[in-house]
Amino acid sequence: MLQDRVLVKLSQEDGERRSSGGIVIPATAQVARRLVWGDVLGVGNSVRNVKQGDRVLFNPEDQFEVEIQGEGHLVMRERDIHAVATERTEHGTGLYL
């Protein structure tokens, strides 16, 4: 990856969801634009806050899709990432979100 680009593989958590009250929400339901989680596979040399192996939260509709070895991946700028979930321990708390 070059510059501030990040290569992300979408998590396989798509499909039906359950609300906190137990109501099943089908995958086709569109209430609002939904952010999704993905796993970082590669980062460019200008990326500062995301590392390979992190899970990131982003809007998949605004990204570029690329196929690598038959699997779909997304390419985005670091600034398009809304949150990072990682288990880095150098900050002392374990999970960072």
Coordinates of all heavy atoms in Angstrom, one line a residue:
M1 N 0.8 -1.2 0.0 CA 0.0 0.0 0.0 C 0.9 1.2 0.0 O 2.0 1.2 0.6 CB -0.9 0.0 1.2 CG -1.8 -1.2 1.4 SD -2.9 -1.6 -0.1 CE -3.8 -0.1 -0.3
L2 N 0.4 2.3 -0.6 CA 1.2 3.5 -0.7 C 0.5 4.6 0.1 O -0.7 4.6 0.4 CB 1.2 4.0 -2.2 CG 1.9 3.0 -3.1 CD1 1.8 3.5 -4.5 CD2 3.4 2.9 -2.8
Q3 N 1.4 5.6 0.6 CA 0.9 6.8 1.2 C 0.0 6.5 2.4 O 0.4 5.8 3.3 CB 0.3 7.8 0.3 CG 1.2 8.1 -0.9 CD 2.5 8.7 -0.5 OE1 2.6 9.4 0.4 NE2 3.6 8.4 -1.3
D4 N -1.2 7.1 2.4 CA -2.1 7.0 3.6 C -3.2 6.0 3.3 O -4.2 6.0 3.9 CB -2.7 8.4 3.9 CG -3.6 8.9 2.8 OD1 -3.4 8.4 1.6 OD2 -4.4 9.7 3.0
R5 N -2.9 5.0 2.5 CA -3.9 4.0 2.1 C -3.9 2.8 3.1 O -2.8 2.4 3.6 CB -3.7 3.5 0.7 CG -3.8 4.6 -0.4 CD -5.2 5.2 -0.4 NE -5.5 5.9 -1.6 CZ -5.4 7.2 -1.7 NH1 -5.2 8.0 -0.7 NH2 -5.6 7.8 -2.9
V6 N -5.1 2.2 3.3 CA -5.2 1.1 4.1 C -6.0 0.0 3.4 O -7.0 0.3 2.7 CB -6.0 1.4 5.4 CG1 -6.2 0.2 6.3 CG2 -5.3 2.5 6.2
L7 N -5.6 -1.3 3.4 CA -6.2 -2.4 2.8 C -7.0 -3.1 3.9 O -6.4 -3.6 4.9 CB -5.2 -3.3 2.1 CG -5.8 -4.5 1.4 CD1 -6.7 -4.1 0.2 CD2 -4.7 -5.5 1.0
V8 N -8.3 -3.3 3.7 CA -9.2 -3.9 4.7 C -10.0 -5.0 4.1 O -10.5 -4.9 3.0 CB -10.1 -2.8 5.2 CG1 -11.1 -3.4 6.2 CG2 -9.4 -1.7 5.9
K9 N -10.1 -6.1 4.9 CA -11.0 -7.2 4.5 C -12.2 -7.1 5.4 O -12.1 -7.0 6.6 CB -10.3 -8.5 4.7 CG -11.1 -9.7 4.3 CD -10.4 -11.0 4.5 CE -11.3 -12.2 4.1 NZ -10.7 -13.4 4.3
L10 N -13.4 -7.1 4.8 CA -14.6 -7.0 5.6 C -14.8 -8.3 6.5 O -14.5 -9.4 6.1 CB -15.8 -7.0 4.6 CG -16.0 -5.7 3.9 CD1 -17.2 -5.8 2.9 CD2 -16.3 -4.6 4.8
S11 N -15.3 -8.0 7.7 CA -15.6 -9.1 8.6 C -16.8 -9.9 8.1 O -17.6 -9.3 7.5 CB -15.8 -8.5 10.0 OG -14.7 -7.9 10.5
Q12 N -16.8 -11.1 8.4 CA -17.9 -12.0 8.0 C -19.1 -12.0 8.9 O -19.8 -12.9 9.2 CB -17.4 -13.4 7.8 CG -16.3 -13.6 6.8 CD -16.7 -13.1 5.4 OE1 -17.8 -13.3 5.0 NE2 -15.8 -12.5 4.7
E13 N -19.4 -10.8 9.5 CA -20.5 -10.7 10.5 C -21.8 -10.2 9.8 O -22.7 -9.8 10.5 CB -20.1 -9.7 11.6 CG -18.9 -10.2 12.4 CD -18.4 -9.2 13.4 OE1 -18.9 -8.1 13.4 OE2 -17.4 -9.5 14.1
D14 N -21.8 -10.1 8.5 CA -23.0 -9.7 7.8 C -24.1 -10.7 8.0 O -23.9 -11.8 8.3 CB -22.7 -9.5 6.3 CG -21.7 -8.4 6.1 OD1 -21.5 -7.5 7.0 OD2 -21.1 -8.4 5.0
G15 N -25.3 -10.2 7.9 CA -26.5 -11.1 8.0 C -27.4 -10.6 9.1 O -27.4 -9.4 9.4
E16 N -28.2 -11.4 9.6 CA -29.2 -11.0 10.6 C -28.5 -10.6 11.9 O -27.5 -11.1 12.3 CB -30.2 -12.2 10.9 CG -31.1 -12.5 9.7 CD -32.0 -13.6 10.0 OE1 -31.9 -14.3 11.1 OE2 -33.0 -13.8 9.2
R17 N -29.2 -9.6 12.5 CA -28.7 -9.1 13.8 C -29.9 -9.2 14.8 O -31.0 -9.3 14.4 CB -28.2 -7.6 13.7 CG -27.2 -7.4 12.6 CD -26.8 -6.0 12.5 NE -27.9 -5.0 12.4 CZ -28.4 -4.6 11.2 NH1 -28.0 -5.1 10.1 NH2 -29.4 -3.7 11.2
R18 N -29.5 -9.1 16.1 CA -30.6 -9.1 17.1 C -30.4 -7.8 17.9 O -29.3 -7.4 18.2 CB -30.4 -10.3 18.1 CG -30.8 -11.6 17.5 CD -31.0 -12.6 18.6 NE -31.4 -13.9 18.0 CZ -32.6 -14.3 17.8 NH1 -33.6 -13.5 18.2 NH2 -32.9 -15.4 17.3
S19 N -31.6 -7.2 18.2 CA -31.6 -6.0 19.0 C -31.4 -6.4 20.5 O -31.4 -7.6 20.8 CB -32.9 -5.2 18.8 OG -33.9 -5.9 19.4
S20 N -31.2 -5.4 21.3 CA -31.0 -5.7 22.7 C -32.3 -6.3 23.3 O -32.2 -7.1 24.3 CB -30.6 -4.5 23.5 OG -31.6 -3.5 23.4
G21 N -33.4 -6.1 22.7 CA -34.7 -6.7 23.2 C -35.0 -8.0 22.6 O -36.0 -8.6 22.8
G22 N -34.1 -8.6 21.7 CA -34.3 -9.9 21.1 C -34.9 -9.9 19.8 O -35.2 -10.9 19.2
I23 N -35.2 -8.7 19.2 CA -35.9 -8.6 17.9 C -34.9 -8.9 16.8 O -33.8 -8.4 16.8 CB -36.5 -7.3 17.7 CG1 -37.6 -7.0 18.7 CG2 -37.1 -7.1 16.3 CD1 -38.1 -5.6 18.7
V24 N -35.2 -9.8 15.9 CA -34.3 -10.2 14.8 C -34.5 -9.1 13.7 O -35.6 -8.8 13.2 CB -34.7 -11.5 14.2 CG1 -33.8 -11.8 13.0 CG2 -34.5 -12.6 15.2
I25 N -33.3 -8.5 13.3 CA -33.3 -7.5 12.2 C -32.6 -8.2 11.0 O -31.5 -8.5 11.1 CB -32.5 -6.3 12.7 CG1 -33.1 -5.7 14.0 CG2 -32.4 -5.2 11.6 CD1 -32.2 -4.7 14.6
P26 N -33.4 -8.3 9.9 CA -32.8 -9.0 8.7 C -31.7 -8.2 8.1 O -31.6 -6.9 8.3 CB -34.0 -9.1 7.8 CG -35.0 -8.1 8.3 CD -34.8 -7.9 9.7
A27 N -30.8 -8.8 7.4 CA -29.7 -8.2 6.7 C -30.1 -7.2 5.7 O -29.4 -6.2 5.4 CB -28.8 -9.2 6.1
T28 N -31.3 -7.3 5.1 CA -31.8 -6.4 4.1 C -32.4 -5.1 4.7 O -32.8 -4.2 3.9 CB -32.9 -7.1 3.2 OG1 -33.9 -7.6 4.1 CG2 -32.2 -8.3 2.5
A29 N -32.6 -5.1 6.0 CA -33.2 -3.9 6.6 C -32.2 -2.7 6.5 O -31.1 -2.8 6.8 CB -33.5 -4.1 8.0
Q30 N -32.7 -1.6 6.0 CA -31.9 -0.4 5.9 C -32.6 0.8 6.7 O -33.5 1.4 6.2 CB -31.8 0.1 4.4 CG -31.0 -0.8 3.6 CD -29.5 -0.7 4.0 OE1 -29.1 0.4 4.4 NE2 -28.8 -1.7 3.8
V31 N -32.1 1.0 7.9 CA -32.7 2.0 8.7 C -31.9 3.3 8.4 O -32.4 4.4 8.3 CB -32.6 1.7 10.2 CG1 -33.0 2.8 11.1 CG2 -33.4 0.4 10.5
A32 N -30.6 3.2 8.4 CA -29.7 4.3 8.1 C -28.4 3.7 7.5 O -28.3 2.5 7.4 CB -29.4 5.1 9.4
R33 N -27.5 4.6 7.1 CA -26.2 4.1 6.6 C -25.5 3.4 7.8 O -25.5 4.0 8.9 CB -25.4 5.2 6.1 CG -26.0 5.8 4.8 CD -25.2 6.8 4.1 NE -23.9 7.2 4.7 CZ -23.1 8.1 4.3 NH1 -23.5 8.7 3.2 NH2 -22.0 8.4 4.9
R34 N -25.0 2.3 7.6 CA -24.5 1.4 8.7 C -23.0 1.3 8.5 O -22.5 1.0 7.4 CB -25.1 0.1 8.6 CG -24.7 -0.8 9.8 CD -25.6 -2.0 9.8 NE -25.2 -2.9 10.8 CZ -25.6 -2.8 12.1 NH1 -26.4 -1.8 12.4 NH2 -25.3 -3.7 13.0
L35 N -22.2 1.6 9.6 CA -20.8 1.4 9.6 C -20.5 -0.1 9.9 O -21.3 -0.8 10.5 CB -20.1 2.2 10.7 CG -20.3 3.7 10.6 CD1 -19.7 4.4 11.8 CD2 -19.7 4.3 9.3
V36 N -19.4 -0.6 9.3 CA -19.0 -2.0 9.5 C -17.6 -2.1 10.0 O -16.8 -1.2 9.9 CB -19.2 -2.8 8.1 CG1 -20.6 -2.8 7.6 CG2 -18.3 -2.2 7.1
W37 N -17.3 -3.3 10.5 CA -16.0 -3.6 11.0 C -15.2 -4.4 9.9 O -15.8 -5.2 9.2 CB -16.0 -4.5 12.3 CG -16.5 -3.7 13.5 CD1 -17.8 -3.7 14.0 CD2 -15.7 -2.9 14.3 NE1 -17.8 -2.9 15.1 CE2 -16.6 -2.4 15.3 CE3 -14.4 -2.5 14.3 CZ2 -16.1 -1.5 16.3 CZ3 -13.9 -1.6 15.3 CH2 -14.8 -1.1 16.2
G38 N -13.9 -4.2 9.9 CA -13.1 -4.9 9.0 C -11.7 -5.1 9.6 O -11.3 -4.5 10.5
D39 N -10.9 -6.0 9.0 CA -9.6 -6.3 9.5 C -8.5 -5.7 8.5 O -8.6 -5.9 7.3 CB -9.4 -7.8 9.6 CG -10.4 -8.5 10.5 OD1 -10.5 -8.0 11.6 OD2 -11.0 -9.5 10.1
V40 N -7.6 -5.0 9.1 CA -6.5 -4.4 8.3 C -5.5 -5.4 7.9 O -4.9 -6.1 8.7 CB -5.8 -3.3 9.1 CG1 -4.7 -2.6 8.3 CG2 -6.8 -2.2 9.5
L41 N -5.3 -5.5 6.5 CA -4.3 -6.4 6.0 C -3.0 -5.7 5.6 O -2.0 -6.4 5.4 CB -4.9 -7.1 4.8 CG -6.2 -8.0 5.1 CD1 -6.7 -8.6 3.8 CD2 -5.9 -9.0 6.1
G42 N -3.1 -4.4 5.3 CA -1.9 -3.7 4.9 C -2.1 -2.2 5.1 O -3.2 -1.7 5.0
V43 N -1.0 -1.5 5.3 CA -1.0 0.0 5.5 C 0.1 0.6 4.7 O 1.2 0.0 4.5 CB -0.9 0.4 7.0 CG1 -2.1 -0.1 7.7 CG2 0.4 -0.1 7.6
G44 N -0.1 1.8 4.3 CA 0.9 2.6 3.6 C 1.9 3.2 4.5 O 1.7 3.2 5.8
N45 N 3.0 3.8 4.0 CA 4.1 4.3 4.8 C 3.7 5.6 5.6 O 4.4 6.0 6.5 CB 5.4 4.5 4.0 CG 5.2 5.4 2.8 OD1 4.1 5.9 2.6 ND2 6.2 5.6 2.1
S46 N 2.6 6.3 5.2 CA 2.2 7.5 5.9 C 1.1 7.3 6.9 O 0.7 8.2 7.5 CB 1.7 8.5 4.8 OG 2.8 8.9 4.0
V47 N 0.7 6.0 7.1 CA -0.4 5.7 8.0 C 0.2 5.7 9.4 O 1.2 5.1 9.7 CB -1.0 4.4 7.7 CG1 -2.0 4.0 8.8 CG2 -1.7 4.4 6.4
R48 N -0.4 6.5 10.4 CA 0.2 6.6 11.7 C -0.6 5.9 12.8 O 0.0 5.5 13.8 CB 0.3 8.1 12.1 CG 1.3 8.8 11.1 CD 1.4 10.2 11.5 NE 0.1 10.9 11.4 CZ -0.1 12.2 11.8 NH1 0.9 12.9 12.2 NH2 -1.3 12.7 11.6
N49 N -1.9 5.8 12.7 CA -2.7 5.3 13.8 C -3.3 3.9 13.7 O -3.9 3.4 14.6 CB -3.9 6.3 14.1 CG -3.4 7.6 14.4 OD1 -2.5 7.8 15.2 ND2 -4.0 8.7 13.8
V50 N -3.0 3.3 12.5 CA -3.5 1.9 12.3 C -2.4 1.0 11.9 O -1.5 1.4 11.2 CB -4.6 2.0 11.1 CG1 -5.1 0.6 10.8 CG2 -5.7 3.0 11.4
K51 N -2.4 -0.2 12.5 CA -1.4 -1.2 12.2 C -2.0 -2.4 11.6 O -3.2 -2.6 11.7 CB -0.7 -1.6 13.5 CG -0.1 -0.5 14.3 CD 1.3 -0.3 13.9 CE 2.0 0.7 14.9 NZ 1.9 2.0 14.5
Q52 N -1.3 -3.2 10.9 CA -1.7 -4.4 10.3 C -2.2 -5.3 11.4 O -1.6 -5.5 12.4 CB -0.6 -5.1 9.5 CG -1.0 -6.3 8.8 CD 0.1 -6.9 7.9 OE1 1.1 -6.3 7.8 NE2 -0.2 -8.0 7.3
G53 N -3.4 -5.9 11.2 CA -4.0 -6.8 12.2 C -5.1 -6.1 13.1 O -5.8 -6.8 13.8
D54 N -5.2 -4.8 13.0 CA -6.2 -4.0 13.8 C -7.6 -4.3 13.2 O -7.7 -4.6 12.0 CB -5.9 -2.5 13.8 CG -4.8 -2.1 14.7 OD1 -4.3 -3.0 15.4 OD2 -4.3 -1.0 14.6
R55 N -8.6 -4.1 14.0 CA -10.0 -4.1 13.4 C -10.4 -2.6 13.4 O -10.2 -1.9 14.3 CB -10.9 -4.9 14.4 CG -10.7 -6.4 14.2 CD -11.7 -7.2 15.1 NE -13.1 -6.8 15.0 CZ -13.9 -7.2 14.1 NH1 -13.5 -8.0 13.1 NH2 -15.2 -6.8 14.2
V56 N -11.0 -2.2 12.3 CA -11.4 -0.8 12.1 C -12.9 -0.7 11.7 O -13.5 -1.6 11.2 CB -10.5 -0.1 11.0 CG1 -9.1 0.0 11.4 CG2 -10.6 -0.9 9.7
L57 N -13.5 0.4 12.1 CA -14.9 0.7 11.9 C -14.9 1.8 10.8 O -14.3 2.9 10.9 CB -15.5 1.2 13.1 CG -17.0 1.5 13.1 CD1 -17.8 0.2 12.9 CD2 -17.4 2.2 14.4
F58 N -15.7 1.6 9.7 CA -15.7 2.5 8.6 C -17.0 2.4 7.8 O -17.8 1.4 8.0 CB -14.5 2.3 7.7 CG -14.5 0.9 7.1 CD1 -15.1 0.6 5.8 CD2 -14.0 -0.2 7.8 CE1 -15.1 -0.7 5.3 CE2 -14.0 -1.4 7.3 CZ -14.6 -1.7 6.0
N59 N -17.3 3.3 6.9 CA -18.4 3.3 6.0 C -18.0 2.6 4.7 O -17.2 3.1 4.0 CB -18.9 4.7 5.7 CG -20.1 4.7 4.8 OD1 -20.7 3.7 4.4 ND2 -20.6 5.9 4.5
P60 N -18.6 1.4 4.4 CA -18.1 0.7 3.2 C -18.6 1.3 1.9 O -18.1 1.0 0.9 CB -18.7 -0.7 3.4 CG -19.9 -0.5 4.2 CD -19.6 0.7 5.2
E61 N -19.6 2.1 1.9 CA -20.1 2.7 0.7 C -19.2 3.7 0.0 O -19.3 4.0 -1.1 CB -21.5 3.4 1.0 CG -22.5 2.4 1.5 CD -23.8 3.1 1.9 OE1 -23.9 4.3 1.7 OE2 -24.7 2.4 2.4
D62 N -18.3 4.3 0.8 CA -17.4 5.4 0.3 C -16.0 4.9 -0.1 O -15.1 5.7 -0.3 CB -17.3 6.5 1.3 CG -18.6 7.2 1.6 OD1 -19.5 7.1 0.7 OD2 -18.7 7.8 2.7
Q63 N -15.8 3.6 -0.2 CA -14.5 3.0 -0.4 C -14.4 2.4 -1.8 O -15.4 2.2 -2.5 CB -14.2 2.0 0.7 CG -14.5 2.4 2.1 CD -14.0 3.8 2.4 OE1 -12.9 4.2 2.0 NE2 -14.7 4.5 3.2
F64 N -13.2 2.0 -2.2 CA -12.9 1.4 -3.4 C -12.7 -0.1 -3.2 O -12.0 -0.5 -2.3 CB -11.6 1.9 -4.1 CG -11.8 3.4 -4.4 CD1 -11.1 4.3 -3.7 CD2 -12.5 3.7 -5.5 CE1 -11.2 5.7 -4.0 CE2 -12.6 5.1 -5.9 CZ -12.0 6.0 -5.1
E65 N -13.4 -0.9 -4.0 CA -13.3 -2.4 -3.9 C -12.3 -3.0 -4.8 O -12.2 -2.5 -6.0 CB -14.7 -3.0 -4.1 CG -14.7 -4.5 -3.7 CD -16.1 -5.0 -3.8 OE1 -17.1 -4.3 -3.9 OE2 -16.3 -6.3 -3.7
V66 N -11.5 -3.9 -4.4 CA -10.5 -4.6 -5.2 C -10.6 -6.1 -4.9 O -10.9 -6.5 -3.8 CB -9.1 -4.1 -4.9 CG1 -8.7 -4.3 -3.5 CG2 -8.1 -4.6 -5.9
E67 N -10.4 -6.9 -5.9 CA -10.4 -8.4 -5.7 C -9.0 -8.9 -5.7 O -8.2 -8.6 -6.7 CB -11.2 -9.0 -6.9 CG -11.4 -10.5 -6.6 CD -12.4 -11.1 -7.7 OE1 -13.4 -10.5 -7.9 OE2 -12.0 -12.1 -8.2
I68 N -8.6 -9.6 -4.7 CA -7.3 -10.2 -4.5 C -7.4 -11.7 -4.3 O -8.0 -12.1 -3.3 CB -6.5 -9.6 -3.4 CG1 -6.3 -8.1 -3.6 CG2 -5.1 -10.2 -3.2 CD1 -5.7 -7.3 -2.4
Q69 N -6.9 -12.5 -5.2 CA -7.0 -13.9 -5.2 C -8.4 -14.4 -5.0 O -8.7 -15.3 -4.2 CB -6.1 -14.5 -4.1 CG -4.6 -14.3 -4.4 CD -3.7 -14.8 -3.3 OE1 -4.2 -15.2 -2.2 NE2 -2.5 -14.8 -3.6
G70 N -9.4 -13.8 -5.7 CA -10.8 -14.2 -5.6 C -11.6 -13.7 -4.4 O -12.8 -14.0 -4.3
E71 N -11.0 -12.9 -3.6 CA -11.7 -12.4 -2.4 C -11.8 -10.8 -2.5 O -10.8 -10.2 -2.9 CB -11.0 -12.7 -1.1 CG -11.0 -14.2 -0.8 CD -10.4 -14.5 0.6 OE1 -10.4 -13.6 1.4 OE2 -9.9 -15.6 0.7
G72 N -12.9 -10.3 -2.1 CA -13.1 -8.9 -2.1 C -12.5 -8.2 -0.9 O -12.6 -8.6 0.2
H73 N -11.8 -7.1 -1.2 CA -11.1 -6.2 -0.2 C -11.5 -4.8 -0.5 O -11.9 -4.4 -1.6 CB -9.6 -6.4 -0.2 CG -9.2 -7.8 0.2 ND1 -9.3 -8.8 -0.7 CD2 -8.7 -8.3 1.3 CE1 -8.8 -9.9 -0.1 NE2 -8.4 -9.6 1.1
L74 N -11.3 -3.9 0.5 CA -11.5 -2.5 0.3 C -10.2 -1.7 0.5 O -9.4 -2.0 1.3 CB -12.6 -2.0 1.3 CG -13.9 -2.6 1.2 CD1 -14.8 -2.1 2.3 CD2 -14.6 -2.3 -0.2
V75 N -10.1 -0.6 -0.3 CA -8.9 0.3 -0.2 C -9.5 1.6 0.3 O -10.4 2.1 -0.4 CB -8.1 0.4 -1.5 CG1 -7.0 1.4 -1.3 CG2 -7.6 -0.9 -1.9
M76 N -8.9 2.2 1.3 CA -9.4 3.5 1.8 C -8.3 4.3 2.4 O -7.2 3.9 2.5 CB -10.5 3.3 2.9 CG -9.9 2.7 4.2 SD -11.1 2.2 5.4 CE -11.9 0.9 4.6
R77 N -8.6 5.6 2.6 CA -7.6 6.5 3.3 C -7.8 6.3 4.8 O -8.8 6.0 5.3 CB -7.9 7.9 2.9 CG -7.7 8.3 1.5 CD -8.0 9.7 1.2 NE -7.8 10.1 -0.1 CZ -6.7 10.7 -0.6 NH1 -5.7 10.9 0.2 NH2 -6.6 11.0 -1.9
E78 N -6.7 6.6 5.5 CA -6.7 6.5 6.9 C -7.7 7.4 7.5 O -8.4 7.0 8.5 CB -5.3 6.8 7.5 CG -5.2 6.7 9.0 CD -3.9 7.0 9.6 OE1 -3.1 7.8 8.9 OE2 -3.6 6.6 10.7
R79 N -7.9 8.6 7.0 CA -8.9 9.5 7.5 C -10.3 9.1 7.4 O -11.2 9.6 8.1 CB -8.7 10.9 6.8 CG -9.2 10.9 5.4 CD -9.0 12.2 4.8 NE -9.5 12.2 3.4 CZ -9.1 13.0 2.5 NH1 -8.2 13.9 2.8 NH2 -9.6 12.9 1.3
D80 N -10.6 8.0 6.6 CA -12.0 7.5 6.5 C -12.3 6.5 7.5 O -13.5 6.0 7.6 CB -12.2 6.9 5.1 CG -12.1 7.9 4.0 OD1 -12.4 9.1 4.2 OD2 -11.7 7.5 2.8
I81 N -11.4 6.2 8.4 CA -11.6 5.2 9.5 C -12.2 5.9 10.7 O -11.6 6.9 11.1 CB -10.3 4.5 9.8 CG1 -9.9 3.6 8.6 CG2 -10.5 3.6 11.1 CD1 -8.5 3.0 8.8
H82 N -13.3 5.4 11.2 CA -14.0 6.1 12.4 C -13.4 5.6 13.7 O -13.4 6.4 14.7 CB -15.5 5.8 12.3 CG -16.1 6.4 11.1 ND1 -16.4 7.8 11.0 CD2 -16.5 5.9 9.9 CE1 -17.0 8.0 9.9 NE2 -17.0 6.9 9.2
A83 N -13.0 4.3 13.8 CA -12.5 3.8 15.1 C -11.6 2.6 14.9 O -11.7 2.0 13.8 CB -13.7 3.4 16.0
V84 N -10.7 2.4 15.9 CA -9.8 1.3 15.8 C -10.0 0.4 17.1 O -10.0 0.9 18.2 CB -8.3 1.7 15.7 CG1 -7.4 0.6 15.7 CG2 -8.1 2.6 14.5
A85 N -10.1 -0.9 16.9 CA -10.2 -1.8 18.0 C -9.0 -2.7 17.9 O -8.8 -3.4 16.9 CB -11.5 -2.7 18.0
T86 N -8.1 -2.7 18.9 CA -6.9 -3.5 18.9 C -6.6 -4.0 20.3 O -7.1 -3.5 21.2 CB -5.7 -2.6 18.3 OG1 -4.6 -3.4 18.2 CG2 -5.4 -1.4 19.2
E87 N -5.7 -5.0 20.3 CA -5.3 -5.5 21.6 C -3.9 -5.2 21.9 O -3.2 -6.0 22.5 CB -5.6 -7.0 21.6 CG -7.0 -7.3 21.5 CD -7.4 -8.8 21.8 OE1 -6.6 -9.4 22.5 OE2 -8.4 -9.2 21.4
R88 N -3.4 -4.0 21.5 CA -2.1 -3.6 21.8 C -2.0 -3.3 23.3 O -2.9 -2.7 23.9 CB -1.7 -2.3 21.1 CG -1.5 -2.5 19.6 CD -1.0 -1.2 19.0 NE -1.8 -1.0 17.8 CZ -2.2 0.2 17.3 NH1 -1.9 1.3 18.0 NH2 -2.8 0.3 16.2
T89 N -0.9 -3.8 23.9 CA -0.8 -3.6 25.4 C 0.2 -2.5 25.8 O 0.4 -2.3 27.0 CB -0.3 -5.0 26.0 OG1 0.9 -5.4 25.4 CG2 -1.4 -6.0 25.8
E90 N 0.8 -1.8 24.8 CA 1.8 -0.8 25.2 C 1.1 0.4 25.9 O 1.7 1.2 26.6 CB 2.6 -0.3 24.1 CG 1.8 0.4 23.0 CD 1.5 -0.5 21.8 OE1 1.6 -1.7 21.9 OE2 1.1 0.1 20.8
H91 N -0.2 0.5 25.8 CA -1.0 1.6 26.5 C -1.4 1.1 27.9 O -1.9 1.9 28.6 CB -2.1 2.1 25.7 CG -1.7 2.8 24.4 ND1 -1.6 2.1 23.2 CD2 -1.3 4.0 24.1 CE1 -1.2 2.9 22.3 NE2 -1.0 4.1 22.8
G92 N -1.4 -0.1 28.1 CA -1.7 -0.7 29.5 C -3.1 -1.1 29.7 O -3.3 -1.7 30.8
T93 N -4.0 -0.8 28.9 CA -5.4 -1.1 29.2 C -5.9 -2.3 28.4 O -7.0 -2.8 28.7 CB -6.3 0.1 28.9 OG1 -6.2 0.4 27.5 CG2 -6.0 1.3 29.7
G94 N -5.2 -2.9 27.5 CA -5.7 -4.0 26.7 C -6.5 -3.7 25.5 O -5.9 -3.5 24.5
L95 N -7.8 -3.5 25.6 CA -8.6 -3.2 24.4 C -8.7 -1.7 24.2 O -9.1 -1.0 25.1 CB -10.0 -3.9 24.5 CG -10.8 -3.8 23.3 CD1 -10.2 -4.5 22.1 CD2 -12.2 -4.3 23.6
Y96 N -8.5 -1.2 23.0 CA -8.6 0.2 22.7 C -9.6 0.4 21.7 O -9.7 -0.3 20.6 CB -7.2 0.7 22.2 CG -7.3 2.1 21.6 CD1 -7.4 3.2 22.4 CD2 -7.1 2.2 20.2 CE1 -7.5 4.4 21.8 CE2 -7.2 3.5 19.7 CZ -7.3 4.6 20.5 OH -7.4 5.8 19.9
L97 N -10.6 1.3 21.9 CA -11.6 1.6 21.0 C -11.9 3.1 21.0 O -12.1 3.7 22.0 CB -12.9 0.8 21.3 CG -14.1 1.1 20.4 CD1 -13.9 0.8 19.0 CD2 -15.3 0.5 20.9

